[in-house]
Amino acid sequence: MTDLAPLGDTIRVVEWDELPDSVRSIPDNFNPLELGVAMQHQIEWMTFIHDYQLAVCEKCRRSGITLSTSWDDTISAASQKSAGGMNAFYIGDTKEKGLEYIGYVAKFARMIAKAQGMGISGIEEFIFTDQEKRGEDSRDIASFRIRFASGFRIVALSSRPENIHGLQGSVTIDEAALHKDVRKVIESATALLIWGGRLRIISTHRGMKNAFNELIKDINNGLYGDKAGVYKITFDQCVANGLYERVCFMTGETPTEEGKKAWYTSIRKAYGPRKAAMLEELDTIPREGEGAAIPGVFITRAMKGVRTIFRLEFEDSFKDLPLETRTHEIDAWIERDLNPELAKLPPKLQHFFGMDFARKGHLSVIVPIIKQQNLSRFVPFVIELRNCPVSAQQQILWYLIPKLPRFTGGAMDATGPGQNLAELTWEKFKTVEQVVFSQMWYRDNMSAFVQLFEDDMLDIPRDADHESDLRDLDRIDGIIRPPHAATEDENGNDRHADYAIGLALADFAVRVCKPSPMEFESTGQTRKSLQALEDSVNTGRWNQSNNSMPTGNDFTGFTL
């Protein structure tokens, strides 16, 4: 089947010769359209979605599930209410997916209209009023629609979760694991079931931690009752159901067993060394995390103790207070809470820091880090700032830096709004790296950061939100970086791997910042030690056998 070695910690990849004859062979007089336009799994899925109110399909790539769903929606929307007709809504992860779906519907609708003499509209682009997140404001977005003489319609919407509120009928969420905020989409859509609607959630996997995979586990564990079910279709099952033969039918080629083997093997080999991606996209085996960069077991191992996590969240009204009042309040927090932690820092070890900047929405995170004698890293505490004015962030940071024993350097997010604070901090303290995030920076630096986890060279605080931030780091096209979408903590606040980036910046500072040369000022006095050395050499008192000289030298004369 393939010459790629299977991963050691996952299900093996079955070789070509081990596949059943239904996959490898082509029966005599094979007719790819014997079952009609749809393949066996497409027919099974169309039956499955009528057996459950909440029907979930975990599928391989290009299985044809979306196509068969559009066919079922077309039949439902074209039917009268007495025959089970209803509206249908499609929510893809991109606008282009919505247009593609509505194109399938248009093709099927014309077939029905031609056969039944039933009226339909063309594909209508229209304005859909969408409620903004966490607010009562709304915005207008372009959507696509086909209306039927039955009075029902099929609508393709964007992936914003608020779209689903108030809709009634059949809702399909396609490629759910790729949606920007899949948890919110699923939560919003589930409310449809109250009034007898149908919900179909279709997707390939995007990691074990993704909400789509968590939903599947919850359904399989019975948490959704008997009205929810999961249908699974893999690439090998699609091949067994005639996928290769249909490809040949569409391209006008004659299917052969040799051609089938070459076609199958080329698809597997197209993933190259990305075995985890191949198993996920073809065999529906989710990889750990969303293309997770750091295995969960390494994150847990690195969290060696419970330590202080300062979480300061400021009301919007705080920025309107007089500067003197704000400064006083920050000073009071420093004296009460921060200074006791600073007093615990070891005075003889080098200290660094990293800071991921944010003003609103996400977090500013300041991560002090200690380079220990064995070169491992130790994080004594963390400061998280939400909705914090820049002047207050500067006040906290500029107090912290001089208090770090043997402060050697820091690294700050200088991307976008963080540039001003990073530049001012560099001007004041000099040994501060200003980092503008880019594909190149992530490529050149994040692998070394992840290696710390693998080598057990990190000792960081034990914290659930920090664990989530570290798990959110993705390996996208071979580059480790934050995910495209934010996640939410237990209080509903957005996090965007903020702590993970703050920690990575702290490690970057350890690697690139070097101690400044110690400056000294001479007292002007004779350095007796050097004079004694010269006298010893001149008088032959230097013992060349062991490179020693008499004791009693006075090494005074330097003011450090």
Side-chain angles (χ1 to χ4, degrees):
M1 185 169 71
T2 174
D3 58 2
L4 294 175
L7 293 175
D9 59 349
T10 190
I11 300 175
R12 70 189 181 92
V13 179
V14 179
E15 296 299 328
W16 172 262
D17 292 336
E18 296 178 72
L19 295 173
D21 289 342
S22 59
V23 175
R24 292 189 293 110
S25 63
I26 301 175
D28 294 337
N29 301 320
F30 175 79
N31 179 4
L33 300 180
E34 182 178 0
L35 297 175
V37 174
M39 290 181 281
Q40 182 63 38
H41 59 275
Q42 294 173 304
I43 296 171
E44 291 174 354
W45 169 245
M46 285 189 283
T47 302
F48 188 87
I49 57 182
H50 289 275
D51 291 338
Y52 296 96
Q53 267 194 289
L54 172 57
V56 176
C57 181
E58 54 176 328
K59 68 179 186 69
C60 65
R61 294 286 183 200
R62 312 307 296 177
S63 59
I65 292 295
T66 300
L67 181 68
S68 59
T69 306
S70 68
W71 172 241
D72 184 81
D73 280 345
T74 304
I75 294 175
S76 295
S79 302
Q80 296 297 320
K81 185 175 182 179
S82 58
M86 63 175 64
N87 292 323
F89 301 91
Y90 173 86
I91 303 174
D93 61 312
T94 64
K95 181 179 179 180
E96 290 71 25
K97 291 274 185 67
L99 184 58
E100 182 182 27
Y101 185 87
I102 214 75
Y104 293 152
V105 171
K107 183 177 293 186
F108 292 136
R110 289 189 179 94
M111 293 169 57
I112 294 176
K114 183 176 181 180
Q116 303 293 331
M118 187 176 296
I120 60 169
S121 70
I123 297 178
E124 302 172 337
E125 183 174 2
F126 73 107
I127 300 301
F128 183 88
T129 301
D130 184 28
Q131 181 178 323
E132 289 286 356
K133 183 179 181 182
R134 296 176 186 167
E136 297 181 356
D137 296 335
S138 61
R139 65 168 187 160
D140 293 334
I141 60 174
S143 300
F144 302 102
R145 173 180 60 207
I146 291 180
R147 293 176 290 111
F148 292 80
S150 63
F152 297 116
R153 66 194 187 278
I154 297 178
V155 180
L157 298 170
S158 75
S159 62
R160 290 178 58 87
E162 289 80 5
N163 289 336
I164 310 172
H165 294 162
L167 302 183
Q168 190 56 43
S170 173
V171 173
T172 297
I173 303 174
D174 199 11
E175 291 298 355
L178 302 181
H179 281 235
K180 182 178 180 181
D181 197 346
V182 59
R183 286 180 176 84
K184 281 293 184 183
V185 174
I186 292 173
E187 289 170 5
S188 298
T190 303
L192 292 167
L193 306 181
I194 297 174
W195 293 97
R198 295 203 304 258
L199 176 60
R200 290 86 66 89
I201 300 178
I202 304 168
S203 190
T204 51
H205 277 287
R206 189 69 184 276
M208 293 179 64
K209 189 187 172 189
N210 190 278
F212 175 70
N213 188 55
E214 293 173 357
L215 173 67
I216 289 172
K217 290 190 292 186
D218 289 343
I219 292 175
N220 289 336
N221 289 332
L223 299 184
Y224 282 81
D226 58 5
K227 292 187 177 181
V230 177
Y231 182 83
K232 180 176 181 177
I233 181 67
T234 68
F235 178 65
D236 285 356
Q237 290 171 322
C238 291
V239 174
N241 290 339
L243 179 59
Y244 164 73
E245 290 78 11
R246 276 171 170 73
V247 170
C248 291
F249 178 79
M250 296 298 294
T251 59
E253 299 178 10
T254 301
T256 64
E257 292 188 12
E258 294 78 11
K260 188 173 189 177
K261 179 178 180 179
W263 169 83
Y264 182 95
T265 304
S266 68
I267 291 175
R268 291 280 182 182
K269 284 188 174 182
Y271 287 87
R274 299 181 299 124
K275 296 182 287 291
M278 179 188 69
L279 292 169
E280 183 171 68
E281 297 194 354
L282 299 184
D283 302 305
T284 68
I285 301 171
R287 47 188 162 180
E288 184 172 4
E290 190 172 349
I294 310 174
V297 63
F298 292 161
I299 297 173
T300 301
R301 184 179 64 182
M303 292 184 165
K304 302 186 188 300
V306 177
R307 295 172 206 138
T308 301
I309 311 295
F310 294 113
R311 290 188 165 99
L312 282 68
E313 184 168 356
F314 296 81
E315 299 291 338
D316 286 338
S317 58
F318 182 79
K319 70 178 185 303
D320 299 323
L321 296 174
L323 179 60
E324 182 179 353
T325 302
R326 285 184 280 151
T327 301
H328 177 74
E329 290 196 17
I330 295 297
D331 282 340
W333 171 79
I334 288 173
E335 181 64 29
R336 181 183 67 250
D337 297 330
L338 182 58
N339 275 339
E341 292 297 326
L342 293 174
K344 301 175 186 177
L345 299 177
K348 296 183 178 180
L349 296 178
Q350 288 180 290
H351 286 63
F352 305 77
F353 80 91
M355 181 177 182
D356 186 29
F357 180 86
R359 175 58 184 89
K360 284 192 172 183
H362 302 154
L363 292 166
S364 275
V365 181
I366 303 173
V367 184
I369 198 166
I370 302 169
K371 183 179 180 181
Q372 304 199 97
Q373 192 66 33
N374 65 356
L375 304 183
S376 66
R377 279 69 154 149
F378 180 90
V379 176
F381 60 86
V382 177
I383 302 173
E384 294 188 353
L385 306 172
R386 185 179 294 280
N387 197 27
C388 182
V390 178
S391 60
Q393 296 193 41
Q394 176 181 300
Q395 182 182 350
I396 293 170
L397 181 64
W398 286 15
Y399 181 87
L400 172 70
I401 292 175
K403 298 294 184 181
L404 295 176
R406 293 190 63 193
F407 172 67
T408 306
M412 297 180 63
D413 169 13
T415 308
Q419 180 181 9
N420 187 47
L421 180 57
E423 184 173 326
L424 291 174
T425 305
W426 172 81
E427 290 177 351
K428 183 174 180 63
F429 297 100
K430 298 305 179 186
T431 57
V432 174
E433 295 289 327
Q434 302 173 68
V435 175
V436 178
F437 293 123
S438 64
Q439 288 285 88
M440 184 177 297
W441 189 89
Y442 288 125
R443 182 198 65 196
D444 293 343
N445 295 283
M446 291 301 286
S447 293
F449 171 63
V450 170
Q451 191 67 42
L452 290 176
F453 288 88
E454 298 179 3
D455 294 342
D456 196 17
M457 293 288 283
L458 269 174
D459 187 340
I460 58 179
R462 188 178 304 134
D463 182 81
D465 286 336
H466 291 181
E467 179 188 38
S468 177
D469 282 359
L470 290 165
R471 285 180 176 270
D472 278 346
L473 289 178
D474 284 349
R475 192 182 297 273
I476 303 172
D477 295 330
I479 298 175
I480 300 167
R481 55 171 302 144
H484 295 300
T487 57
E488 291 188 352
D489 61 20
E490 60 181 9
N491 298 318
N493 295 316
D494 283 346
R495 300 184 70 96
H496 192 223
D498 306 297
Y499 167 71
I501 296 304
L503 182 60
L505 286 169
D507 169 62
F508 177 70
V510 174
R511 287 187 286 110
V512 303
C513 297
K514 306 301 179 185
S516 299
M518 288 191 302
E519 297 180 357
F520 69 89
E521 180 181 350
S522 174
T523 63
Q525 301 173 3
T526 302
R527 293 180 288 184
K528 297 180 181 179
S529 58
L530 297 180
Q531 186 64 51
L533 174 59
E534 184 177 351
D535 292 343
S536 298
V537 172
N538 292 337
T539 59
R541 293 167 60 204
W542 183 267
N543 186 342
Q544 298 188 18
S545 64
N546 60 4
N547 289 329
S548 65
M549 62 183 293
T551 59
N553 295 303
D554 182 3
F555 289 94
T556 60
F558 291 95
T559 300
L560 296 179

